[in-house]
Amino acid sequence: MPEGDTIFRTARALGRALTAKTVTSFRSMYPLLTRFNDDTPLAGQTVESVQPRGKWLLIHFSGGGTLATHMLMSGSWHIYRHGERWQQPRANMRIVLENSEYIAVGFRVPVAKMLRANELERALRIPPVAIDVLSEDFNAAEVARRVMAHGGEEIGDVLLHQEVMAGVGNVFKSEICFVTATSPFCKVATLDAEKIASLIAAARRLVKTNVLEDSGDAIVTYGGRKRRTTLALDPGASLWVYGRGGEPCRKCSERIRRRIQGPDARVTFWCQRCQPMPDGTVVDG
Ligand SMILES: [Zn+2]
């Protein structure tokens, strides 16, 4: 599932290509979208804005409709100039939005809805801005309250709950726990308010930094080495622990552990020495 910062970058790129421009053509493989377009043609309307909200990408049209897409694991938006060759087969095309300069193509976008303004929040279960790590109106106290409501769960799982804090995916989960010296397997109830505040601050800092630095599709949390050069070959080269199972910890040289965690069986990476359990229990990996 794309991390919040990937959605943010997609929204930014689409925003540059589409905002304040008149739509010249709209096509989709989804009957519900084409029906909406038959009733209220998007061609001739202007794209007012493109907005990331949690893991949703919203394209707002001047006619009052919003195209909401959720990428899940498989989907992506590409932007092409007219005549430019597509990088995915036409069979993968689900949505096409054109203006005089660009063609935006949603490939294998699994979830897409056309919504009126009054339907948005409820239909998408869009997270409130107060808990969206990338929002200006993020409210750390509110998120801390939501985290603490999951006292019986492990912090590594709770960091992924989009209704607790929206925008943190599985890569950031491991990185956030590492940079705050927190065992991902601690029950939330064993963490004090200060630790929870530091986890939330780290989540914001790491996700936002990745957005601001425009690091392409790669996530960068570890800046101790040259950042960009090895990314294509080794996705773990820019990270503290994620994807580095069996390799030495960048702080203490202990072997980085890997373990499947939680009801959704997500992979977690951590350093036993840098991220001990408060009660001294050893979680093996
Ligand atoms: Zn370590």
Side-chain angles (χ1 to χ4, degrees):
M1 184 176 284
E3 307 263 344
D5 70 316
T6 306
I7 300 283
F8 192 98
R9 278 196 299 266
T10 302
R12 187 165 53 188
L14 279 174
R16 284 174 187 152
L18 302 177
T19 303
K21 290 172 188 151
T22 304
V23 177
T24 54
S25 168
F26 177 84
R27 305 191 294 286
S28 178
M29 305 301 287
Y30 292 120
L32 285 174
L33 298 192
T34 49
R35 191 178 311 159
F36 184 102
N37 187 53
D38 289 343
D39 294 343
T40 322
L42 293 169
Q45 294 190 32
T46 305
V47 171
E48 293 195 327
S49 62
V50 182
Q51 185 189 24
R53 284 292 294 278
K55 295 194 170 182
W56 289 91
L57 188 103
L58 308 178
I59 302 176
H60 300 289
F61 296 92
S62 55
T66 295
L67 172 61
T69 53
H70 192 304
M71 308 303 150
L72 296 176
M73 306 291 252
S74 60
S76 59
W77 278 95
H78 290 197
I79 298 163
Y80 299 107
R81 292 189 180 274
H82 289 276
E84 195 176 341
R85 188 189 167 83
W86 292 6
Q87 313 234 331
Q88 285 210 25
R90 300 223 159 224
N92 291 349
M93 180 276 270
R94 299 290 180 272
I95 305 167
V96 177
L97 200 56
E98 297 186 16
N99 60 34
S100 60
E101 273 180 273
Y102 297 104
I103 304 175
V105 190
F107 289 110
R108 300 175 68 199
V109 171
V111 184
K113 307 176 184 194
M114 261 302 190
L115 298 161
R116 304 281 174 195
N118 59 353
E119 300 171 322
L120 262 178
E121 308 284 324
R122 199 166 50 88
L124 304 182
R125 285 176 294 154
I126 289 178
V129 289
I131 66 162
D132 185 337
V133 281
L134 287 168
S135 166
E136 295 296 316
D137 298 317
F138 184 81
N139 182 334
E142 170 62 20
V143 172
R145 209 176 52 70
R146 292 180 182 226
V147 170
M148 287 181 212
H150 292 263
E153 293 174 52
E154 296 174 356
I155 185 64
D157 287 330
V158 174
L159 286 173
L160 293 177
H161 290 343
Q162 298 300 304
E163 80 285 2
V164 169
M165 177 163 57
V168 172
N170 204 43
V171 178
F172 282 115
K173 171 197 79 181
S174 290
E175 299 294 293
I176 291 162
C177 288
F178 182 84
V179 301
T180 57
T182 310
S183 168
F185 307 100
C186 283
K187 293 279 200 300
V188 166
T190 68
L191 303 173
D192 61 22
E194 198 182 339
K195 174 65 89 177
I196 288 170
S198 75
L199 284 157
I200 294 167
R204 282 209 93 197
R205 189 176 70 244
L206 294 184
V207 177
K208 282 186 95 165
T209 302
N210 276 274
V211 168
L212 295 174
E213 296 193 349
D214 215 356
S215 48
D217 280 338
I219 292 169
V220 176
T221 63
Y222 169 72
R225 283 199 258 160
K226 273 188 191 170
R227 285 187 167 186
R228 301 291 163 77
T229 50
T230 57
L231 289 184
L233 298 173
D234 175 8
S238 58
L239 301 170
W240 287 103
V241 289
Y242 186 89
R244 301 192 62 242
E247 292 177 46
C249 174
R250 298 191 193 283
K251 281 192 177 159
C252 77
S253 299
E254 177 75 29
R255 177 170 63 86
I256 298 296
R257 315 286 163 138
R258 177 188 191 279
R259 187 184 175 86
I260 300 299
Q261 182 177 17
D264 293 329
R266 306 302 299 276
V267 63
T268 297
F269 294 89
W270 81 106
C271 171
Q272 279 180 346
R273 193 184 293 169
C274 293
Q275 300 166 265
M277 293 285 276
D279 62 0
T281 319
V282 176
V283 179
D284 214 355

